[in-house]
Amino acid sequence: MTIQAITTFIRVFDTNNVQRYLFQNSKTDANISYQPDEASCFDGSTASLSYPYLPFIYNGATKSNAGDNLESFLTLAVNELSLSRAHEFVQNSYSVEVFTVLMDAETFVPLANRTLTAECWMISGMTYDVEGVQLRLSTAIDAIASVTPNKVLRTEMVGALPVSSRISNA
């Protein structure tokens, strides 16, 4: 039987794309250094960073049949600190970058070029009960109460625009 070790690395950013927090969810007794395979969607960094442990569960993206409403969830243990941080994240419209990485099963060192997913989310809401605090993560377009620009495409900005939704290849 083969064991596949996977770690989720998260970086939390404020509205100015400044990193505020970073965590990993697999190695409890030490930080894990991780250098992403691609540039950060928030600050453009590819630097190797040292991620401390935080017990959390990341649920990957789900979407509706129409392809909209793309969202994901980050679940933390419920305590005074996690409730305080979750509230801070939502109130300040923070964003989160999530890397899911294949690790060496014996040493828990990230395997080179083995980033399984790299995702960028807006933290759009939270719920909590006696079992945990759940942060709702949404795409920038679907995020509720997010700070996203409300722009309209205009001919002056992008050139010729279609005038109907009917497109033919004739």
Side-chain angles (χ1 to χ4, degrees):
M1 182 167 97
T2 303
I3 295 176
Q4 296 292 324
I6 295 175
T7 297
T8 304
F9 296 91
I10 62 172
R11 295 176 66 198
V12 179
F13 292 86
D14 64 18
T15 55
N16 295 317
N17 293 335
V18 174
Q19 178 187 296
R20 300 290 305 240
Y21 305 98
L22 66 162
F23 304 106
Q24 51 85 12
N25 68 347
S26 66
K27 196 167 186 179
T28 60
D29 60 344
N31 291 1
I32 299 177
S33 292
Y34 170 66
Q35 182 172 7
D37 299 335
E38 57 188 63
S40 167
C41 54
F42 295 110
D43 66 1
S45 171
T46 57
S48 178
L49 300 170
S50 181
Y51 291 75
Y53 176 74
L54 177 72
F56 65 87
I57 298 170
Y58 173 68
N59 299 94
T62 58
K63 64 180 179 178
S64 69
N65 289 338
D68 58 351
N69 198 27
L70 192 62
E71 66 181 13
S72 186
F73 295 93
L74 194 62
T75 306
L76 308 165
V78 65
N79 57 48
E80 190 174 335
L81 181 59
S82 65
L83 280 170
S84 172
R85 288 290 186 247
H87 186 260
E88 172 191 356
F89 296 169
V90 173
Q91 287 298 107
N92 295 317
S93 301
Y94 283 2
S95 302
V96 64
E97 183 170 42
V98 180
F99 297 100
T100 305
V101 180
L102 194 58
M103 310 289 281
D104 182 285
E106 293 178 16
T107 63
F108 269 91
V109 172
L111 297 174
N113 299 314
R114 294 305 300 191
T115 299
L116 302 175
T117 63
E119 302 166 82
C120 301
W121 301 98
M122 305 286 293
I123 299 173
S124 59
M126 68 176 269
T127 59
Y128 64 94
D129 58 22
V130 295
E131 295 179 3
V133 179
Q134 192 170 58
L135 291 169
R136 185 175 52 252
L137 310 177
S138 301
T139 61
I141 301 305
D142 293 331
I144 298 167
S146 66
V147 184
T148 56
N150 294 321
K151 293 194 175 192
V152 175
L153 294 178
R154 300 176 197 258
T155 304
E156 300 84 32
M157 295 169 58
V158 297
L161 290 169
V163 293
S164 83
S165 61
R166 289 190 74 167
I167 298 174
S168 66
N169 195 16

Short mmCIF file of all heavy atoms in Angstrom, two decimals, residues 75-98:
data_model
loop_
_atom_site.label_atom_id
_atom_site.label_comp_id
_atom_site.label_asym_id
_atom_site.label_seq_id
_atom_site.Cartn_x
_atom_site.Cartn_y
_atom_site.Cartn_z
N THR A 75 -12.04 25.35 7.23
CA THR A 75 -12.63 25.08 8.53
C THR A 75 -11.55 25.03 9.60
O THR A 75 -10.53 24.35 9.44
CB THR A 75 -13.40 23.75 8.52
OG1 THR A 75 -14.36 23.78 7.46
CG2 THR A 75 -14.12 23.52 9.84
N LEU A 76 -11.78 25.77 10.69
CA LEU A 76 -10.85 25.84 11.82
C LEU A 76 -11.53 25.33 13.08
O LEU A 76 -12.76 25.37 13.18
CB LEU A 76 -10.41 27.30 12.07
CG LEU A 76 -9.87 28.07 10.87
CD1 LEU A 76 -9.83 29.55 11.18
CD2 LEU A 76 -8.50 27.56 10.52
N ALA A 77 -10.73 24.90 14.05
CA ALA A 77 -11.29 24.53 15.35
C ALA A 77 -11.88 25.79 15.98
O ALA A 77 -11.37 26.89 15.77
CB ALA A 77 -10.20 23.96 16.24
N VAL A 78 -12.96 25.63 16.73
CA VAL A 78 -13.59 26.80 17.32
C VAL A 78 -12.97 27.09 18.69
O VAL A 78 -12.89 26.24 19.56
CB VAL A 78 -15.12 26.63 17.42
CG1 VAL A 78 -15.52 25.51 18.36
CG2 VAL A 78 -15.79 27.92 17.81
N ASN A 79 -12.45 28.29 18.82
CA ASN A 79 -11.93 28.81 20.08
C ASN A 79 -11.90 30.33 19.95
O ASN A 79 -12.20 30.88 18.89
CB ASN A 79 -10.55 28.22 20.44
CG ASN A 79 -9.53 28.47 19.36
OD1 ASN A 79 -9.37 29.57 18.85
ND2 ASN A 79 -8.81 27.41 18.98
N GLU A 80 -11.55 31.00 21.01
CA GLU A 80 -11.58 32.46 21.01
C GLU A 80 -10.66 33.06 19.94
O GLU A 80 -11.02 34.02 19.26
CB GLU A 80 -11.19 32.98 22.39
CG GLU A 80 -11.42 34.46 22.57
CD GLU A 80 -11.15 34.93 23.99
OE1 GLU A 80 -11.26 34.13 24.93
OE2 GLU A 80 -10.83 36.13 24.13
N LEU A 81 -9.48 32.47 19.78
CA LEU A 81 -8.52 32.98 18.80
C LEU A 81 -9.01 32.79 17.36
O LEU A 81 -8.98 33.72 16.56
CB LEU A 81 -7.15 32.31 18.98
CG LEU A 81 -6.05 32.76 18.05
CD1 LEU A 81 -5.79 34.25 18.18
CD2 LEU A 81 -4.78 31.98 18.31
N SER A 82 -9.50 31.58 17.04
CA SER A 82 -9.96 31.34 15.67
C SER A 82 -11.18 32.18 15.33
O SER A 82 -11.31 32.68 14.21
CB SER A 82 -10.22 29.85 15.43
OG SER A 82 -11.28 29.39 16.23
N LEU A 83 -12.09 32.36 16.28
CA LEU A 83 -13.25 33.22 16.05
C LEU A 83 -12.83 34.66 15.80
O LEU A 83 -13.34 35.33 14.90
CB LEU A 83 -14.21 33.16 17.23
CG LEU A 83 -15.13 31.95 17.29
CD1 LEU A 83 -15.86 31.89 18.63
CD2 LEU A 83 -16.13 31.98 16.15
N SER A 84 -11.87 35.12 16.57
CA SER A 84 -11.37 36.48 16.41
C SER A 84 -10.71 36.68 15.05
O SER A 84 -10.97 37.67 14.35
CB SER A 84 -10.37 36.79 17.53
OG SER A 84 -9.73 38.01 17.31
N ARG A 85 -9.87 35.74 14.65
CA ARG A 85 -9.19 35.83 13.34
C ARG A 85 -10.19 35.73 12.20
O ARG A 85 -10.12 36.49 11.23
CB ARG A 85 -8.13 34.74 13.20
CG ARG A 85 -6.90 34.95 14.04
CD ARG A 85 -6.09 36.13 13.53
NE ARG A 85 -4.85 36.21 14.28
CZ ARG A 85 -4.56 37.20 15.10
NH1 ARG A 85 -5.38 38.20 15.25
NH2 ARG A 85 -3.43 37.21 15.77
N ALA A 86 -11.13 34.79 12.29
CA ALA A 86 -12.12 34.64 11.23
C ALA A 86 -12.93 35.92 11.07
O ALA A 86 -13.17 36.37 9.95
CB ALA A 86 -13.04 33.45 11.54
N HIS A 87 -13.33 36.51 12.17
CA HIS A 87 -14.07 37.77 12.12
C HIS A 87 -13.21 38.86 11.47
O HIS A 87 -13.70 39.63 10.63
CB HIS A 87 -14.50 38.18 13.52
CG HIS A 87 -15.38 39.37 13.55
ND1 HIS A 87 -14.91 40.63 13.85
CD2 HIS A 87 -16.70 39.52 13.27
CE1 HIS A 87 -15.89 41.50 13.77
NE2 HIS A 87 -17.00 40.84 13.42
N GLU A 88 -11.94 38.94 11.84
CA GLU A 88 -11.02 39.91 11.24
C GLU A 88 -10.92 39.70 9.73
O GLU A 88 -10.98 40.65 8.95
CB GLU A 88 -9.63 39.75 11.86
CG GLU A 88 -8.54 40.57 11.20
CD GLU A 88 -7.14 40.21 11.66
OE1 GLU A 88 -6.98 39.36 12.58
OE2 GLU A 88 -6.18 40.76 11.10
N PHE A 89 -10.79 38.45 9.30
CA PHE A 89 -10.66 38.14 7.88
C PHE A 89 -11.87 38.61 7.09
O PHE A 89 -11.75 39.19 6.02
CB PHE A 89 -10.46 36.64 7.65
CG PHE A 89 -9.19 36.07 8.22
CD1 PHE A 89 -9.01 34.70 8.27
CD2 PHE A 89 -8.17 36.87 8.72
CE1 PHE A 89 -7.85 34.14 8.79
CE2 PHE A 89 -7.01 36.33 9.25
CZ PHE A 89 -6.85 34.96 9.28
N VAL A 90 -13.06 38.34 7.62
CA VAL A 90 -14.29 38.69 6.91
C VAL A 90 -14.52 40.20 6.94
O VAL A 90 -14.81 40.81 5.91
CB VAL A 90 -15.50 37.94 7.52
CG1 VAL A 90 -16.81 38.43 6.91
CG2 VAL A 90 -15.35 36.45 7.32
N GLN A 91 -14.38 40.83 8.11
CA GLN A 91 -14.62 42.26 8.24
C GLN A 91 -13.69 43.08 7.36
O GLN A 91 -14.07 44.13 6.85
CB GLN A 91 -14.47 42.70 9.70
CG GLN A 91 -15.60 42.26 10.58
CD GLN A 91 -16.92 42.85 10.15
OE1 GLN A 91 -17.76 42.15 9.61
NE2 GLN A 91 -17.12 44.13 10.35
N ASN A 92 -12.46 42.62 7.19
CA ASN A 92 -11.46 43.38 6.43
C ASN A 92 -11.34 42.91 4.98
O ASN A 92 -10.40 43.32 4.29
CB ASN A 92 -10.11 43.31 7.13
CG ASN A 92 -10.15 44.00 8.48
OD1 ASN A 92 -10.72 45.07 8.63
ND2 ASN A 92 -9.57 43.37 9.48
N SER A 93 -12.23 42.05 4.54
CA SER A 93 -12.24 41.57 3.14
C SER A 93 -10.90 40.99 2.72
O SER A 93 -10.38 41.30 1.65
CB SER A 93 -12.65 42.70 2.19
OG SER A 93 -13.92 43.18 2.51
N TYR A 94 -10.32 40.14 3.58
CA TYR A 94 -9.05 39.52 3.26
C TYR A 94 -9.21 38.49 2.15
O TYR A 94 -10.31 38.03 1.86
CB TYR A 94 -8.46 38.84 4.50
CG TYR A 94 -7.83 39.79 5.50
CD1 TYR A 94 -7.82 41.16 5.32
CD2 TYR A 94 -7.23 39.29 6.64
CE1 TYR A 94 -7.23 42.00 6.24
CE2 TYR A 94 -6.63 40.12 7.57
CZ TYR A 94 -6.64 41.47 7.36
OH TYR A 94 -6.05 42.31 8.28
N SER A 95 -8.09 38.14 1.55
CA SER A 95 -8.04 37.11 0.51
C SER A 95 -7.13 35.99 0.99
O SER A 95 -6.31 36.19 1.89
CB SER A 95 -7.48 37.70 -0.78
OG SER A 95 -8.27 38.78 -1.20
N VAL A 96 -7.26 34.83 0.37
CA VAL A 96 -6.42 33.70 0.75
C VAL A 96 -5.93 32.99 -0.51
O VAL A 96 -6.66 32.86 -1.49
CB VAL A 96 -7.15 32.73 1.72
CG1 VAL A 96 -8.33 32.09 1.05
CG2 VAL A 96 -6.22 31.68 2.27
N GLU A 97 -4.68 32.60 -0.47
CA GLU A 97 -4.08 31.81 -1.54
C GLU A 97 -3.83 30.42 -0.97
O GLU A 97 -3.28 30.28 0.12
CB GLU A 97 -2.77 32.47 -1.97
CG GLU A 97 -2.08 31.81 -3.12
CD GLU A 97 -0.92 32.67 -3.62
OE1 GLU A 97 -0.17 33.22 -2.80
OE2 GLU A 97 -0.78 32.76 -4.84
N VAL A 98 -4.25 29.40 -1.71
CA VAL A 98 -4.19 28.02 -1.22
C VAL A 98 -3.36 27.18 -2.19
O VAL A 98 -3.62 27.16 -3.38
CB VAL A 98 -5.60 27.40 -1.10
CG1 VAL A 98 -5.53 25.98 -0.58
CG2 VAL A 98 -6.49 28.26 -0.21
#
